[in-house]
Amino acid sequence: MAWRRHLPALASAAAGINEASDAWDAVSGSLCDADGWPLDDKVYGDGKVKRDADAWKHAEVFLDHGPEVLAGVRAAADGPDYVEGPISDDLRRLRGIDTTLLRAEELRHEWDGVMALMDGSQPSVLHLYQERAEEHRNTEGWHYAHELSYQGPALVRIGELLAHRADTERPAQTERARVALTRSPHNTPAASPASPSVPPAPHPPAPGQSR
């Protein structure tokens, strides 16, 4: 279960996305009038830009480690886990995570391509276009980050439970193997080989008989 080493990073990333969302929700209402229109377009826009940037930073952690954890979780989960039990609901929440990760990875790839085209530009121009490109990527990426805000915690919970279950079952399996080994006929102590019989001593010749 090498994938389990990524669970802390994914848990932190999921929390980071939710923190970015909660921080924006806490102030966005106060930036609008009674009809929901921004009181100051720039202030409102800057707030969304920050939210999107913070969320995308954490979404990229899922792009780096999520596929490996997802594959490991699916390999470790049993059929009954999908029907009932403590992770059945979370497993259902993962049904769309493949699409989320795929689309987000495509977005990151597109942004990398844009930055490659800008390579060699004047520093002042590069900085301007890079800032705009990042803002566009983060705005597009907010949708995927939002999806991961509830798919991600589900993946982490499943991974933690399956890892704990494996740790719990391993000692029992080891003990069963030990008991089976001790009962194996190959491990029954062999009987000590019988001592070779000592031939009887020859009878002494009768008196008066020649040897």
Side-chain angles (χ1 to χ4, degrees), residues 115-134:
M115 295 310 300
L117 291 174
M118 293 183 189
D119 191 28
S121 302
Q122 293 294 329
S124 58
V125 176
L126 177 62
H127 176 73
L128 175 63
Y129 280 102
Q130 181 177 358
E131 185 176 321
R132 290 180 179 176
E134 285 181 352

Side-chain angles (χ1 to χ4, degrees), residues 54-80:
D54 291 343
W56 177 256
K57 174 182 64 178
H58 296 297
E60 285 195 295
V61 177
F62 278 94
L63 298 184
D64 294 334
H65 306 304
E68 181 181 347
V69 174
L70 185 61
V73 158
R74 285 174 171 162
D78 298 326

Side-chain angles (χ1 to χ4, degrees), residues 10 17 19 69 83 103 108 114 120 160 171 173 180 185 188 200 202 207:
L10 295 187
I17 294 174
E19 287 172 6
V69 174
V83 180
R103 296 288 184 263
R108 180 163 70 169
V114 170
E160 289 175 343
Q173 292 172 346
T188 303

Side-chain angles (χ1 to χ4, degrees), residues 150-163:
Y150 60 89
Q151 293 171 337
L155 178 60
V156 171
R157 287 192 296 268
I158 295 169
E160 289 175 343
L161 188 143
L162 291 175

Side-chain angles (χ1 to χ4, degrees), residues 6-169:
H6 300 307
L7 290 176
L10 295 187
S12 178
I17 294 174
N18 282 300
E19 287 172 6
S21 179
D22 292 344
W24 169 245
D25 290 342
V27 300
S28 59
S30 64
L31 301 177
C32 299
D33 60 21
D35 296 324
W37 293 98
L39 298 171
D40 186 313
D41 288 339
K42 185 178 186 309
V43 172
Y44 188 87
D46 288 346
K48 288 188 68 175
V49 167
K50 184 180 186 309
R51 178 202 66 180
D52 297 346
D54 291 343
W56 177 256
K57 174 182 64 178
H58 296 297
E60 285 195 295
V61 177
F62 278 94
L63 298 184
D64 294 334
H65 306 304
E68 181 181 347
V69 174
L70 185 61
V73 158
R74 285 174 171 162
D78 298 326
D81 289 325
Y82 289 86
V83 180
E84 59 183 2
I87 60 175
S88 58
D89 288 340
D90 280 335
L91 284 168
R92 283 190 284 272
R93 292 187 181 98
L94 294 185
R95 287 174 179 169
I97 195 172
D98 298 274
T99 301
T100 302
L101 293 174
L102 176 63
R103 296 288 184 263
E105 184 58 47
E106 289 175 349
L107 178 62
R108 180 163 70 169
H109 182 71
E110 290 173 3
W111 184 80
D112 289 341
V114 170
M115 295 310 300
L117 291 174
M118 293 183 189
D119 191 28
S121 302
Q122 293 294 329
S124 58
V125 176
L126 177 62
H127 176 73
L128 175 63
Y129 280 102
Q130 181 177 358
E131 185 176 321
R132 290 180 179 176
E134 285 181 352
E135 184 176 327
H136 175 74
R137 178 203 61 190
N138 297 342
T139 300
E140 293 291 318
W142 165 248
H143 169 73
Y144 307 119
H146 181 64
E147 294 285 323
L148 290 170
S149 69
Y150 60 89
Q151 293 171 337
L155 178 60
V156 171
R157 287 192 296 268
I158 295 169
E160 289 175 343
L161 188 143
L162 291 175
H164 175 72
R165 186 167 75 184
D167 290 341
T168 303
E169 292 177 349

